[in-house]
């Protein structure tokens, strides 16, 4: 049908479900204009502002002690949260996609919670839970466990915010694959662990990687939740996005944009990888059209 | 829990501010996104299934999604750089008397920026899955394209569009830079929580947070009701 449409000259084809050419290009034009103003220009501005005073100023800005500490902390937080969320995500997706149990709908809604709750509130819940005024607060203090304004708090907040990415990629994928293969594996004498390792995992591995990419990008870029629990201690609990804020509020614009451009590059890299995955393994990611 | 220990007093009037621009923003985005999504698959029809359409490339493939990945803070400051009176876009708007940065309009721009990918990612599959037969039926019954769009296509998109709305209510990182954060004018709800937290006023922070949570839950509930 598409080929047919392509060969008929538009003048003779008055399709009832297509707008006029002018309307179509008009809409496309508006959309492009809109996208360039709210999307592409900001992206370009990050780099142009960062390089405003030349490449040397850019490098110097990134080489500051506090910024380097922020880079290290951000990488560390991502290195801890992403593998954990990969495991949690697979477990939850497996539970939801392959089993029927009471409260399943509730659990499914709960997974989406971090997406619909404000990042600031995500941070706030940890303050209410672990803060010095909370029930747990005195106990934690007595045992010398630092959660808030320390690495642990940042990790917890990041885990919360990035939790849905892997699970939501995998749930539709695993639901679509059904339980037939696992039943066959088990009837052939495979243990539960073998079934997972040899039957389930190979079929979801690209979905997992896809979710991990998104999870990682978000983990490195999270601002709101981390901002609430981190305490903004320079060189200690400042992640890259928080470093951007601090530098910007000090009117150190070149440095702020240099750090922001670093984040943007990270974003673009994960984007490239994601697109490659989509291109190469679109079949295996077929059920993942829904975010 | 903590918030129940106090009355309505500490919940300030301007907490509702963050819902206000969202309405205008979602309307804007709805209009533009209908345009964007519509062109996308219609043009692919025309150019052949393999080719990516002009607006499809930035929309579904790279642009919007990269915005998700661009950190909130980075997004915030780059928006300021563009929309201040010396910035490339702000300079064009200044003679018209339109100020974007450091006004409530700036909040709208920031929320559009940050919410765009969420809406596209939820709306796009719905549009792609919608069958042309439905539109053909509408046309057969004498509907114009505008009527078809407003009465046939848009209602099916309502849940997906609302999802983007929910996200915008709690936005923080990208907004605080471009909004001037003037009390009662351009302070958003999420910022109020942070301000209360910095004063260690946990009860007030929780009060505002619980209202935002209730609002989010109510909207999610409405979405689920529409879908079922």
């Amino acid at each position: 049908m598409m080929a047919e449409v392509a060969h008929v000259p538009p003048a003779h084809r008055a399709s009832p479900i297509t707008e006029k050419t002018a309307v179509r290009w008009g809409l496309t034009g508006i959309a492009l204009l809109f996208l360039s103003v709210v999307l592409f220009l900001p992206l370009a501005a990050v780099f142009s502002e960062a390089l405003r005073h030349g490449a040397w100023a850019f490098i110097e800005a990134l080489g500051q002690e506090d910024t380097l500490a922020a880079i290290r902390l951000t990488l560390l937080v991502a290195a801890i949260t992403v593998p954990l969320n990969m495991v949690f995500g697979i477990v939850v997706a497996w539970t939801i996609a392959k089993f029927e149990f009471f409260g399943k709908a509730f659990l499914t809604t709960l997974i989406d919670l971090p997406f619909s709750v404000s990042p600031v509130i995500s941070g706030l819940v940890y303050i209410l839970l672990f803060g010095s005024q909370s029930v747990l607060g005195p106990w934690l203090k007595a045992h010398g466990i630092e959660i808030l304004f320390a690495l642990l708090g940042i990790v917890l907040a990041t885990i919360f915010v990035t939790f849905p990415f892997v699970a939501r990629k995998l749930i539709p994928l695993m639901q679509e694959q059904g339980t037939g293969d696992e039943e066959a594996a088990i009837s052939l004498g495979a243990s539960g662990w073998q079934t997972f390792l040899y039957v389930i995992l190979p079929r979801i591995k690209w979905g997992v990687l896809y979710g991990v990419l998104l999870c990682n990008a978000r983990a490195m870029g999270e601002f709101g939740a981390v901002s609430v629990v981190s305490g903004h201690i320079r060189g200690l609990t400042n992640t890259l996005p928080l470093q951007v804020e601090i530098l910007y509020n000090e009117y150190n614009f070149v440095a702020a944009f240099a750090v922001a451009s670093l984040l943007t590059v990270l974003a673009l890299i994960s984007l490239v990888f994601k697109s490659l995955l989509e291109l190469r393994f679109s079949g295996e990611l077929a059920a993942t059209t829904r975010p | 829990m903590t918030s129940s220990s106090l009355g309505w007093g500490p919940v300030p009037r301007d907490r509702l501010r963050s819902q206000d621009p969202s309405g205008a923003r979602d309307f804007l985005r709805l209009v533009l996104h209908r345009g964007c999504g519509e062109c996308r698959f219609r043009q692919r029809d025309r150019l052949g299934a393999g080719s990516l359409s002009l607006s499809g490339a930035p929309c579904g493939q790279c642009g919007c999604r990269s915005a998700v990945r661009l950190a909130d803070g980075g997004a915030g400051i780059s928006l300021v750089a563009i929309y201040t009176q010396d910035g490339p876009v702000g300079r064009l708007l200044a003679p018209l008397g339109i100020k974007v940065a450091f006004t409530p309009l700036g909040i709208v721009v920031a929320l559009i920026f940050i919410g765009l990918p969420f809406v596209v990612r939820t709306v796009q599959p719905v549009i792609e899955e919608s069958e042309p037969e439905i539109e053909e039926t509408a046309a057969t019954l004498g509907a114009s394209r505008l009527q078809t769009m407003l009465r046939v296509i848009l209602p099916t998109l309502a849940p997906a569009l609302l999802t983007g709305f929910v996200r915008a209510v709690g936005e923080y990182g990208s907004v605080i830079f471009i909004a001037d954060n003037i009390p009662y004018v351009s302070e958003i709800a999420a910022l109020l929580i942070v301000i209360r937290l910095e004063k260690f006023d946990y009860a007030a922070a929780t009060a505002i947070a619980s209202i935002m949570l209730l609002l989010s839950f109510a909207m999610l509930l409405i979405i689920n009701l529409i879908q079922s």
Side-chain angles (χ1 to χ4, degrees):
Chain A
M1 185 193 141
M2 254 169 232
E4 201 182 290
V5 172
H7 289 300
V8 180
H12 299 289
R13 179 178 59 89
S15 168
I17 61 159
T18 310
E19 277 80 9
K20 291 189 194 76
T21 314
V23 177
R24 217 159 50 199
W25 285 106
L27 284 173
T28 311
I30 293 172
L32 275 181
L33 184 74
F34 176 74
L35 285 175
S36 54
V37 171
V38 301
L39 217 61
F40 298 133
L41 269 178
L43 273 174
V46 170
F47 292 103
S48 76
E49 292 287 326
L51 295 168
R52 172 164 285 202
H53 297 300
W56 185 241
F58 176 82
I59 295 166
E60 211 170 358
L62 285 183
Q64 286 171 6
E65 196 50 49
D66 289 347
T67 306
L68 288 176
I71 294 173
R72 277 195 296 272
L73 180 65
T74 304
L75 291 177
L76 179 65
V77 168
I80 298 172
T81 52
V82 173
L84 283 175
N85 265 345
M86 185 178 83
V87 175
F88 295 153
I90 294 174
V91 169
V92 168
W94 194 15
T95 315
I96 286 180
K98 310 275 179 169
F99 300 96
E100 288 300 326
F101 53 90
F102 177 75
K104 185 169 152 176
F106 180 67
L107 186 62
T108 316
T109 317
L110 217 55
I111 292 172
D112 283 344
L113 199 67
F115 274 165
S116 43
V117 164
S118 167
V120 171
I121 298 181
S122 315
L124 177 71
V125 293
Y126 289 107
I127 289 194
L128 295 179
L129 198 59
F130 301 120
S132 53
Q133 85 299 338
S134 70
V135 185
L136 283 174
W139 187 87
L140 289 171
K141 200 171 180 187
H143 290 76
I145 304 169
E146 284 189 329
I147 294 182
L148 290 182
F149 315 131
L151 177 68
L152 206 53
I154 300 175
V155 168
L156 279 175
T158 313
I159 287 182
F160 180 83
V161 172
T162 59
F163 178 72
F165 286 99
V166 176
R168 282 188 65 169
K169 277 292 158 209
L170 290 182
I171 290 171
L173 190 66
M174 290 173 96
Q175 266 171 344
E176 201 163 272
Q177 287 170 351
T179 54
D181 286 5
E182 284 112 279
E183 280 162 18
I186 288 167
S187 71
L188 290 169
S191 69
W193 184 241
Q194 281 174 320
T195 313
F196 175 73
L197 219 55
Y198 297 117
V199 179
I200 297 174
L201 202 57
R203 298 170 75 200
I204 59 166
K205 58 184 176 202
W206 298 116
V208 172
L209 193 58
Y210 192 97
V212 162
L213 263 178
L214 295 182
C215 180
N216 180 51
R218 179 79 198 201
M220 290 184 171
E222 178 53 32
F223 179 77
V226 171
S227 160
V228 171
V229 295
S230 99
H232 302 264
I233 307 169
R234 272 164 197 264
L236 275 179
T237 64
N238 240 1
T239 60
L240 276 179
L242 301 181
Q243 185 71 12
V244 173
E245 187 195 18
I246 285 191
L247 291 170
Y248 188 82
N249 287 342
E250 285 171 351
Y251 303 101
N252 193 350
F253 294 133
V254 170
F257 279 101
V259 177
S261 70
L262 206 62
L263 283 166
T264 312
V265 169
L266 279 174
L268 292 176
I269 290 173
S270 30
L271 194 71
V272 168
F273 275 112
K274 195 180 67 79
S275 305
L276 283 178
L277 266 182
E278 276 171 355
L279 215 62
R280 174 73 182 76
F281 301 104
S282 54
E284 276 131 298
L285 295 166
T288 59
T289 42
R290 282 183 68 88
Chain B
M1 130 201 109
T2 325
S3 60
S4 59
S5 59
L6 35 86
W8 286 88
V11 182
R13 185 155 50 93
D14 51 345
R15 96 195 106 73
L16 288 171
R17 176 59 58 182
S18 80
Q19 283 86 61
D20 178 18
S22 302
R25 179 191 47 88
D26 258 83
F27 172 73
L28 244 178
R29 209 162 53 194
L30 182 138
V31 172
L32 287 158
H33 255 282
R34 268 309 293 161
C36 201
E38 180 86 354
C39 300
R40 203 180 110 71
F41 79 113
R42 292 282 178 255
Q43 300 222 344
R44 197 171 48 194
D45 266 5
R46 208 168 64 101
L47 300 169
S51 66
L52 275 172
S53 73
L54 198 59
S55 62
C59 182
Q61 299 302 316
C62 60
C64 299
R65 291 179 189 191
S66 72
V68 182
R69 236 125 292 130
L70 182 64
D72 293 349
I77 62 171
S78 67
L79 286 173
V80 176
I82 290 173
Y83 289 98
T84 47
Q85 277 167 312
D86 309 322
V89 179
R91 208 183 306 154
L92 298 176
L93 294 174
L96 306 171
I98 304 171
K99 277 180 73 181
V100 180
F102 314 126
T103 65
L105 190 60
I107 303 179
V108 176
V109 172
L111 288 180
I112 289 177
F113 179 87
I114 215 71
L116 191 67
F118 286 94
V119 173
V120 176
R121 282 168 64 185
T122 40
V123 170
Q124 189 193 340
V126 183
I127 295 183
E128 274 174 357
E129 277 166 29
S130 81
E131 301 185 352
E133 283 83 356
I134 299 171
E135 289 171 54
E136 282 170 2
T137 312
T140 318
L141 293 170
S144 70
R145 280 304 289 166
L146 192 66
Q147 282 174 321
T148 311
M149 204 187 100
L150 289 178
R151 304 220 173 147
V152 179
I153 304 170
L154 267 188
T156 64
L157 299 180
L161 284 170
L162 278 172
T163 315
F165 190 87
V166 175
R167 183 65 179 76
V169 171
E171 184 51 36
Y172 173 66
S174 55
V175 177
I176 53 165
F177 295 100
I178 201 165
D180 217 6
N181 303 327
I182 304 165
Y184 298 102
V185 177
S186 54
E187 249 181 8
I188 53 161
L191 178 69
L192 286 180
I193 298 182
V194 174
I195 292 173
R196 299 293 180 282
L197 281 178
E198 278 166 2
K199 293 178 191 157
F200 300 102
D201 188 354
Y202 293 129
T206 319
I208 305 168
S210 58
I211 288 192
M212 285 170 71
L213 273 180
L214 277 179
L215 202 75
S216 301
F217 280 132
M219 286 200 277
L220 285 179
L221 195 70
I222 292 169
I223 293 169
N224 283 336
L225 286 178
I226 295 175
Q227 272 173 332
S228 63

